[in-house]
């Protein structure tokens, strides 16, 4: 398959032919339909993440179609799926109590596991994947598993925003943009203020 590979930090990714991913027993291989570019990818590309090295394939904001399913997979060939940033094992205490982002056995594609800047990506723990609805374009869906869930987790779990409270959003990155979108689609009666820098 073809993939965009890190060869030198702060340099163009190398488009290379690499081995197709092996199908995990507990997961699937997706043919990548779209993959977003995250600030976390930028940190890896600049050499500021310890799990990124020569030969790494970045990309954790992705969606695609199952082309191979492992024997313990929950999805089947032909399923169109969206992936989250973190793939929790699903069986540890952290996963069972709803905090799979702290799973000790988590897999993070693009960071120590080959990512989706490629034609195909192997995805273990496929119970983390969710269906990609027909009405959502892959380019839009690719970011749902990272920037949208980051904003949602921050608002609902970490900050536990309640009706009547104020929320201030500073910054216009992908996650900041998602924070500022929630007032339009999340009617909880809170007041919102967003800071956008002058261009």
């Amino acid at each position: 398959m073809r993939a965009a590979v890190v060869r030198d930090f702060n340099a163009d990714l190398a488009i290379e032919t690499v081995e197709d991913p092996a199908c995990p027993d507990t997961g699937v291989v997706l043919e990548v339909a779209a993959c977003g570019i995250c600030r976390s990818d930028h940190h890896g590309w600049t050499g500021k993440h310890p799990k990124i090295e020569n030969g790494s394939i970045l990309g954790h904001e992705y969606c695609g179609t199952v082309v191979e399913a492992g024997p313990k997979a929950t999805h089947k060939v032909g399923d169109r799926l969206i992936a989250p940033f973190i793939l929790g094992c699903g069986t540890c205490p952290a996963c069972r109590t709803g905090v799979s982002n702290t799973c000790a056995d988590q897999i993070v594609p693009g960071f120590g596991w080959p990512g989706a800047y490629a034609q195909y990506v192997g995805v273990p723990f496929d119970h983390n994947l969710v269906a990609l609805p027909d009405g959502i374009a892959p380019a839009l869906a690719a970011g749902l598993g990272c920037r949208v869930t980051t904003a949602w987790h921050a608002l609902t779990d970490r900050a536990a925003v309640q009706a009547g409270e104020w929320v201030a959003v500073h910054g216009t990155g992908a996650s900041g943009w998602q924070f500022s979108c929630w007032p339009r689609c999340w009617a909880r009666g809170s007041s919102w203020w967003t800071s956008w820098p002058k261009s």
Side-chain angles (χ1 to χ4, degrees), residues 115-169:
Y117 286 179
Q119 289 177 288
Y120 302 97
V121 62
V123 187
F125 310 138
D126 78 326
H127 60 272
N128 291 281
L129 305 175
V130 296
L132 170 57
D134 290 335
I136 298 180
L140 174 63
L144 295 177
C146 182
R147 63 190 86 137
V148 172
T149 56
T150 297
W152 179 256
H153 173 70
L155 293 170
T156 62
D157 293 338
R158 301 297 293 169
V161 174
Q162 300 296 313
E165 294 182 328
W166 276 86
V167 175
V169 180

Side-chain angles (χ1 to χ4, degrees), residues 1-107:
M1 71 171 178
R2 303 286 280 163
V5 181
V6 174
R7 288 297 174 205
D8 295 301
F9 295 130
N10 295 301
D12 291 348
L13 298 176
I15 305 302
E16 300 179 5
T17 298
V18 300
E19 286 190 34
D20 288 359
C23 186
D25 284 348
T26 62
V28 297
V29 173
L30 293 180
E31 180 177 14
V32 177
C35 185
I37 299 172
C38 181
R39 186 67 177 181
S40 298
D41 294 317
H42 179 265
H43 291 308
W45 173 76
T46 60
K48 296 178 181 171
H49 194 287
K51 291 189 177 182
I52 305 300
E53 56 192 26
N54 185 334
S56 291
I57 300 172
L58 299 169
H60 61 270
E61 295 186 347
Y62 60 98
C63 62
T65 302
V66 176
V67 294
E68 187 177 354
K72 298 177 185 174
T74 58
H75 296 285
K76 65 184 184 315
V77 172
D79 287 351
R80 297 175 66 235
L81 304 169
I82 304 169
F85 181 18
I86 296 171
L87 304 169
C89 74
T91 59
C92 71
C95 287
R96 289 186 175 184
T97 56
V99 287
S100 59
N101 60 311
T102 64
C103 173
D105 295 319
Q106 66 181 243
I107 300 291

